[in-house]
Each structure stands twice: as structure tokens, then as C-alpha cells.
Amino acid sequence: MDEAITRFRERVDNAIRSVLGFCCATRDRQFQEAAVEQLGGLRVECEELKAEMIRAEREDEANAALSFESLVDAVQSELRMWLALKDGAPQAAWDHLVNAQGSVRTAMQAHDVGASLEPYAERLVQLEQLLFPPQVFMSIGMIVKRAECSVCGADYGTCRHVAGRPYCGVMCHKIITDGEAREVSFVESPANKHCRVMRVSDNGGWRDIMTWLPVPPDQTQDAIPDAGEVQGTRTEGAPHMEQTGRGGAPSE
């Protein structure tokens, strides 16, 4: 690996170590906010390094920079999770945690420099289990009629790029441009943890699935499904579930 990338990796490692001590509930928010800001500056440097490597067509170094960038995103998101919990915003805290899990996964996929992040990825899973109640996840089943490659824009499957792999600093994704939604299902295998139930019906009213507090009528009256149904992110009106479970939605 390029010597400049090696030196930059040391800077990232030192910066991450310096802020991880603030990734816990008892640290005062002023330190956590300062850590988020500190990592914001480092992320800009990661972006600049990645852009430089892309311009030079140095794919290995560009992918390493993507891994650094994604790791910074992960730790920033975890810090924001702790801040959201302190603000009494568990729904936002959940989204930050899921973002952190996705970012560290990208960091591990992008380059071998992320190979040592497995313990951190496992820590984020443990935080999910310890800090939040079990979630009910949902998945939209659909027929994909057309999809594009996020790297080159060609019809997916007609180019050499594979979803989930890095290409010169860019992760490949399948972008669905035409499809037909067929069903909404409860699922057990986590993939997209943002797609989840947020409220459940209870004795004619609604409860927040995170806090179990009643949801005020003025927050539900605009889009209330039929009785005995649940409300979820990106999906409304799924069949009622008496018990919650853990799972996820497929992603492309």
C-alpha cells in the first residue's frame, strides 16, 4: 500500500481511539458533540484523499480511503445515537445506530484495512440488543423489472460490476428504476433495519413501540390504518402482531 495511505491510516486509527472513550451513556454531551465535530473534519480529509486517488485511477488506495471514510461515519453515527438517547429521541437514536452498523459494514467490505473492525461491528449489534426493545421488521416483496448499476449507470447485470463490491472508491449498488410491489411481509432476517414497525394498536389507541407511551391522537389522525393494524416506517397498514420479533428487510 502507498506510504501516504499508510500514514493516513495511522491518523484515522489515532483519531478513532481518541473519541471511542466518549461512546457511552455516562460521558457528558459536550465531549460527545466535540467528538462528532472532530470526526467531521477528519471525514472531509477522507473525502479529499479518496477524490485524489480516484483522479489518479489508483483503485486500491481509493478503496482504502472509502473504508476510512465509512469508519468515521460509523463512529459519528454511534455518537449521535448516544446524543439522541439523551435528548429523549429513541426513534432517531435507532436510525443512527442502524446507520453506524451499515457504515462499519461498508468499511469492512471496501478494503482489507477494515478487516480488523469485526469486534466493533459486534459491539454495535450488542448495543442494539441492550439499548432497544426487540423490533418488528418488515420487507416489501416486489418484481424488479429494471435496475441500474450505481457505478456506471448501465442496466444491472450487463456490466462487470457486482453489488456490494467496491470499485475505485465507490460501492456498487443495484438501483431499482422500475418494479412492481407485490406484498409487505414481516421478516426475521435483518437486512434493512430502517424498515420497521413504529407504533402498535392497543385498546383503540396507539403506542410507541420504543417507549410504550401512548401516541397522541393528533400524531396519528392523518393516516390511521384500520383497527388491528400497525404503523411502520415506509409501510402502513400491515397486519397486527401480538408479539414483536427481530428481523429485517432485503436490500439491493
Side-chain angles (χ1 to χ4, degrees):
M1 187 184 299
D2 182 86
E3 184 178 350
I5 294 292
T6 301
R7 290 197 301 269
F8 193 85
R9 178 183 184 178
E10 293 175 357
R11 288 195 56 233
V12 171
D13 288 345
N14 290 335
I16 295 299
R17 281 195 294 269
S18 72
V19 302
L20 280 179
F22 301 117
C23 289
C24 58
T26 60
R27 297 302 192 197
D28 190 85
R29 67 177 304 120
Q30 65 176 310
F31 301 111
Q32 293 171 330
E33 290 171 347
V36 169
E37 184 175 355
Q38 175 186 343
L39 291 179
L42 181 60
R43 192 188 192 283
V44 171
E45 294 184 49
C46 292
E47 292 175 343
E48 293 174 346
L49 175 64
K50 183 178 71 174
E52 178 183 348
M53 296 299 106
I54 291 174
R55 286 192 299 269
E57 298 183 351
R58 296 167 60 178
E59 183 168 25
D60 187 68
E61 287 80 2
N63 289 342
L66 173 61
S67 182
F68 300 148
E69 178 184 88
S70 300
L71 173 57
V72 171
D73 285 343
V75 180
Q76 267 194 319
S77 293
E78 184 190 346
L79 287 162
R80 290 185 175 120
M81 178 203 72
W82 292 112
L83 289 166
L85 288 174
K86 290 180 178 180
D87 289 336
Q91 303 285 4
W94 172 269
D95 287 336
H96 289 311
L97 176 62
V98 173
N99 289 341
Q101 292 174 338
S103 292
V104 77
R105 183 167 57 248
T106 298
M108 296 169 68
Q109 292 173 333
H111 195 275
D112 289 344
V113 296
S116 62
L117 296 176
E118 184 63 38
Y120 182 58
E122 179 59 30
R123 177 178 179 275
L124 293 176
V125 173
Q126 292 171 353
L127 287 177
E128 173 188 336
Q129 297 169 346
L130 290 171
L131 296 176
F132 298 92
Q135 300 293 295
V136 180
F137 296 96
M138 307 177 80
S139 173
I140 298 175
M142 66 184 304
I143 297 175
V144 177
K145 298 180 179 180
R146 185 173 183 274
E148 292 181 356
C149 170
S150 64
V151 175
C152 66
D155 288 349
Y156 186 81
T158 65
C159 60
R160 68 181 182 87
H161 305 118
V162 178
R165 294 184 182 178
Y167 296 90
C168 202
V170 179
M171 290 297 294
C172 179
H173 301 285
K174 186 193 301 183
I175 302 174
I176 298 174
T177 57
D178 187 14
E180 179 182 345
R182 301 300 299 269
E183 64 180 4
V184 176
S185 305
F186 292 98
V187 292
E188 296 181 354
S189 178
N192 182 359
K193 295 179 182 177
H194 287 298
C195 190
R196 61 191 174 84
V197 173
M198 297 180 68
R199 300 164 182 167
V200 293
S201 59
D202 181 54
N203 295 324
W206 294 91
R207 289 189 181 275
D208 185 299
I209 204 167
M210 286 288 190
T211 65
W212 207 242
L213 291 171
V215 178
D218 61 354
Q219 295 184 19
T220 59
Q221 61 184 1
D222 293 336
I224 297 182
D226 295 336
E229 296 177 338
V230 298
Q231 291 181 302
T233 60
R234 302 183 178 87
T235 304
E236 300 284 343
H240 177 69
M241 290 281 287
E242 293 296 335
Q243 297 179 345
T244 59
R246 301 182 60 208
S251 59
E252 297 294 339

